[in-house]
Amino acid sequence: MRAVHSVLIAAALAAAVPAFAQQTRIEDRLTASEFRDAGLGKLSETELARLNELLERSASPADGPASPDVETRIAQAREEGRREAQGEDRGLRPTVSREPVESTIPGPFTGFARGREYTLANGQVWKQTDSASIAGARGQDVGVRVRPGMLSVWWLQVDGYNTQAKVERVR
């Protein structure tokens, strides 16, 4: 990811300040505080050398505007950033809406049980994670509400009953 950031910083610097093209190294182009504020102090010597190489290549007048290769790398960097922001590249689920859901459970409803999955009419599937139960609960096409709670917890409640079950979304 550092390399992606380096490429983006290089592209922004090369496009923003034409006077930079006359100097060769990024360290010479920026003041110490600009260098530090841009986060470039975190780069290793290898990464810094690569950044300088990219800047020198992009400053060359023979290159003209950004080549398709650079455009492709910028598009890839944007996509990686989007995935990183949503947690996809770390095996996490993408961020989910925190809006309450009102739907029905089509077919028979036989109560709550730990580990049971509830498929809603809107296609969402929720799995019960606690041991809440409703003694003798039975129904057909019952209405349900799934609402967010504190600390990323979700609660499922069935129409006609006050008991709530702690659930997590499966899909």
Side-chain angles (χ1 to χ4, degrees):
M1 196 65 206
R2 281 181 154 178
V4 172
H5 288 137
S6 299
V7 170
L8 290 176
I9 290 170
L13 289 173
V17 184
F20 280 180
Q22 297 171 359
Q23 299 173 353
T24 56
R25 296 177 7 163
I26 189 72
E27 302 92 328
D28 299 332
R29 297 177 187 183
L30 303 173
T31 66
S33 64
E34 289 172 333
F35 189 85
R36 185 181 56 251
D37 292 343
L40 298 174
K42 300 173 192 171
L43 299 178
S44 70
E45 289 298 322
T46 306
E47 293 167 331
L48 196 53
R50 177 70 175 141
L51 176 59
N52 283 321
E53 177 186 311
L54 291 170
L55 286 173
E56 184 176 346
R57 189 173 64 201
S58 68
S60 170
D63 288 345
S67 66
D69 183 44
V70 172
E71 295 296 328
T72 302
R73 286 189 281 165
I74 290 172
Q76 288 172 341
R78 284 188 184 126
E79 179 62 19
E80 287 178 17
R82 184 198 63 78
R83 281 195 310 256
E84 181 179 336
Q86 292 182 341
E88 292 175 16
D89 62 344
R90 291 174 285 164
L92 301 175
R93 290 187 207 131
T95 54
V96 179
S97 170
R98 297 283 297 161
E99 293 296 316
V101 176
E102 289 196 27
S103 187
T104 60
I105 298 176
F109 173 73
T110 57
F112 292 146
R114 177 186 290 272
R116 185 173 288 172
E117 290 187 357
Y118 306 97
T119 303
L120 307 186
N122 65 8
Q124 294 179 349
V125 179
W126 296 82
K127 182 177 180 179
Q128 184 173 337
T129 60
D130 70 353
S131 58
S133 65
I134 305 174
R138 299 285 180 266
Q140 187 73 22
D141 299 329
V142 296
V144 296
R145 282 173 308 291
V146 182
R147 64 175 181 77
M150 300 291 286
L151 303 174
S152 300
V153 171
W154 288 85
W155 298 98
L156 182 135
Q157 185 173 12
V158 178
D159 288 349
Y161 298 94
N162 289 331
T163 303
Q164 302 177 97
K166 188 188 299 185
V167 293
E168 66 182 5
R169 187 164 175 189
V170 177
R171 58 184 171 272

PDB file of all heavy atoms in Angstrom, residues 6-16 51 55 58 70 74:
ATOM      1  N   SER A   6       2.875   6.238  -2.641  1.00  0.00           N
ATOM      2  CA  SER A   6       4.005   6.917  -3.262  1.00  0.00           C
ATOM      3  C   SER A   6       3.675   7.332  -4.688  1.00  0.00           C
ATOM      4  O   SER A   6       3.989   8.441  -5.106  1.00  0.00           O
ATOM      5  CB  SER A   6       5.239   6.012  -3.266  1.00  0.00           C
ATOM      6  OG  SER A   6       5.613   5.694  -1.958  1.00  0.00           O
ATOM      7  N   VAL A   7       3.040   6.442  -5.427  1.00  0.00           N
ATOM      8  CA  VAL A   7       2.677   6.752  -6.805  1.00  0.00           C
ATOM      9  C   VAL A   7       1.672   7.898  -6.839  1.00  0.00           C
ATOM     10  O   VAL A   7       1.791   8.824  -7.643  1.00  0.00           O
ATOM     11  CB  VAL A   7       2.111   5.497  -7.514  1.00  0.00           C
ATOM     12  CG1 VAL A   7       1.509   5.864  -8.862  1.00  0.00           C
ATOM     13  CG2 VAL A   7       3.192   4.457  -7.683  1.00  0.00           C
ATOM     14  N   LEU A   8       0.690   7.862  -5.954  1.00  0.00           N
ATOM     15  CA  LEU A   8      -0.307   8.930  -5.928  1.00  0.00           C
ATOM     16  C   LEU A   8       0.312  10.258  -5.541  1.00  0.00           C
ATOM     17  O   LEU A   8      -0.010  11.295  -6.132  1.00  0.00           O
ATOM     18  CB  LEU A   8      -1.444   8.568  -4.968  1.00  0.00           C
ATOM     19  CG  LEU A   8      -2.345   7.432  -5.429  1.00  0.00           C
ATOM     20  CD1 LEU A   8      -3.366   7.097  -4.369  1.00  0.00           C
ATOM     21  CD2 LEU A   8      -3.028   7.787  -6.723  1.00  0.00           C
ATOM     22  N   ILE A   9       1.186  10.262  -4.564  1.00  0.00           N
ATOM     23  CA  ILE A   9       1.858  11.492  -4.155  1.00  0.00           C
ATOM     24  C   ILE A   9       2.712  12.011  -5.294  1.00  0.00           C
ATOM     25  O   ILE A   9       2.712  13.203  -5.597  1.00  0.00           O
ATOM     26  CB  ILE A   9       2.704  11.265  -2.879  1.00  0.00           C
ATOM     27  CG1 ILE A   9       1.774  11.037  -1.684  1.00  0.00           C
ATOM     28  CG2 ILE A   9       3.620  12.454  -2.617  1.00  0.00           C
ATOM     29  CD1 ILE A   9       2.502  10.563  -0.436  1.00  0.00           C
ATOM     30  N   ALA A  10       3.425  11.118  -5.957  1.00  0.00           N
ATOM     31  CA  ALA A  10       4.275  11.519  -7.078  1.00  0.00           C
ATOM     32  C   ALA A  10       3.453  12.133  -8.197  1.00  0.00           C
ATOM     33  O   ALA A  10       3.826  13.168  -8.758  1.00  0.00           O
ATOM     34  CB  ALA A  10       5.062  10.316  -7.590  1.00  0.00           C
ATOM     35  N   ALA A  11       2.330  11.501  -8.522  1.00  0.00           N
ATOM     36  CA  ALA A  11       1.492  12.015  -9.601  1.00  0.00           C
ATOM     37  C   ALA A  11       0.930  13.384  -9.244  1.00  0.00           C
ATOM     38  O   ALA A  11       0.897  14.297 -10.075  1.00  0.00           O
ATOM     39  CB  ALA A  11       0.365  11.030  -9.905  1.00  0.00           C
ATOM     40  N   ALA A  12       0.488  13.539  -7.998  1.00  0.00           N
ATOM     41  CA  ALA A  12      -0.068  14.820  -7.565  1.00  0.00           C
ATOM     42  C   ALA A  12       0.989  15.912  -7.581  1.00  0.00           C
ATOM     43  O   ALA A  12       0.738  17.031  -8.033  1.00  0.00           O
ATOM     44  CB  ALA A  12      -0.674  14.680  -6.170  1.00  0.00           C
ATOM     45  N   LEU A  13       2.164  15.601  -7.084  1.00  0.00           N
ATOM     46  CA  LEU A  13       3.229  16.604  -7.055  1.00  0.00           C
ATOM     47  C   LEU A  13       3.678  16.981  -8.458  1.00  0.00           C
ATOM     48  O   LEU A  13       3.921  18.153  -8.754  1.00  0.00           O
ATOM     49  CB  LEU A  13       4.418  16.100  -6.240  1.00  0.00           C
ATOM     50  CG  LEU A  13       4.199  16.024  -4.728  1.00  0.00           C
ATOM     51  CD1 LEU A  13       5.393  15.355  -4.067  1.00  0.00           C
ATOM     52  CD2 LEU A  13       3.964  17.392  -4.142  1.00  0.00           C
ATOM     53  N   ALA A  14       3.799  16.012  -9.337  1.00  0.00           N
ATOM     54  CA  ALA A  14       4.244  16.292 -10.699  1.00  0.00           C
ATOM     55  C   ALA A  14       3.226  17.131 -11.456  1.00  0.00           C
ATOM     56  O   ALA A  14       3.598  18.001 -12.247  1.00  0.00           O
ATOM     57  CB  ALA A  14       4.510  14.988 -11.442  1.00  0.00           C
ATOM     58  N   ALA A  15       1.951  16.888 -11.217  1.00  0.00           N
ATOM     59  CA  ALA A  15       0.912  17.633 -11.923  1.00  0.00           C
ATOM     60  C   ALA A  15       0.672  19.010 -11.320  1.00  0.00           C
ATOM     61  O   ALA A  15       0.332  19.951 -12.034  1.00  0.00           O
ATOM     62  CB  ALA A  15      -0.384  16.832 -11.912  1.00  0.00           C
ATOM     63  N   ALA A  16       0.877  19.159 -10.027  1.00  0.00           N
ATOM     64  CA  ALA A  16       0.518  20.392  -9.342  1.00  0.00           C
ATOM     65  C   ALA A  16       1.558  21.494  -9.483  1.00  0.00           C
ATOM     66  O   ALA A  16       1.218  22.661  -9.550  1.00  0.00           O
ATOM     67  CB  ALA A  16       0.276  20.109  -7.863  1.00  0.00           C
ATOM     68  N   LEU A  51      10.141   6.610  -5.552  1.00  0.00           N
ATOM     69  CA  LEU A  51       9.353   7.826  -5.725  1.00  0.00           C
ATOM     70  C   LEU A  51      10.117   8.836  -6.571  1.00  0.00           C
ATOM     71  O   LEU A  51       9.568   9.429  -7.505  1.00  0.00           O
ATOM     72  CB  LEU A  51       8.988   8.429  -4.369  1.00  0.00           C
ATOM     73  CG  LEU A  51       8.241   9.761  -4.399  1.00  0.00           C
ATOM     74  CD1 LEU A  51       6.931   9.631  -5.162  1.00  0.00           C
ATOM     75  CD2 LEU A  51       7.989  10.249  -2.982  1.00  0.00           C
ATOM     76  N   LEU A  55       9.030  10.358 -10.180  1.00  0.00           N
ATOM     77  CA  LEU A  55       8.920  11.799 -10.401  1.00  0.00           C
ATOM     78  C   LEU A  55       9.784  12.238 -11.577  1.00  0.00           C
ATOM     79  O   LEU A  55       9.365  13.052 -12.402  1.00  0.00           O
ATOM     80  CB  LEU A  55       9.313  12.571  -9.147  1.00  0.00           C
ATOM     81  CG  LEU A  55       8.299  12.559  -8.012  1.00  0.00           C
ATOM     82  CD1 LEU A  55       8.872  13.211  -6.768  1.00  0.00           C
ATOM     83  CD2 LEU A  55       7.027  13.247  -8.428  1.00  0.00           C
ATOM     84  N   SER A  58       8.075  11.080 -14.780  1.00  0.00           N
ATOM     85  CA  SER A  58       6.860  11.825 -15.110  1.00  0.00           C
ATOM     86  C   SER A  58       7.164  13.262 -15.470  1.00  0.00           C
ATOM     87  O   SER A  58       6.374  13.914 -16.140  1.00  0.00           O
ATOM     88  CB  SER A  58       5.864  11.765 -13.954  1.00  0.00           C
ATOM     89  OG  SER A  58       6.358  12.496 -12.851  1.00  0.00           O
ATOM     90  N   VAL A  70       0.077   4.752 -16.520  1.00  0.00           N
ATOM     91  CA  VAL A  70      -0.074   5.525 -15.285  1.00  0.00           C
ATOM     92  C   VAL A  70      -1.551   5.593 -14.907  1.00  0.00           C
ATOM     93  O   VAL A  70      -1.911   5.443 -13.742  1.00  0.00           O
ATOM     94  CB  VAL A  70       0.532   6.933 -15.444  1.00  0.00           C
ATOM     95  CG1 VAL A  70       0.198   7.797 -14.253  1.00  0.00           C
ATOM     96  CG2 VAL A  70       2.036   6.847 -15.645  1.00  0.00           C
ATOM     97  N   ILE A  74      -3.207   4.334 -11.430  1.00  0.00           N
ATOM     98  CA  ILE A  74      -4.008   5.220 -10.581  1.00  0.00           C
ATOM     99  C   ILE A  74      -5.368   4.585 -10.308  1.00  0.00           C
ATOM    100  O   ILE A  74      -5.855   4.600  -9.182  1.00  0.00           O
ATOM    101  CB  ILE A  74      -4.140   6.613 -11.219  1.00  0.00           C
ATOM    102  CG1 ILE A  74      -2.792   7.335 -11.171  1.00  0.00           C
ATOM    103  CG2 ILE A  74      -5.213   7.436 -10.519  1.00  0.00           C
ATOM    104  CD1 ILE A  74      -2.751   8.644 -11.930  1.00  0.00           C
TER     105      ILE A  74
END
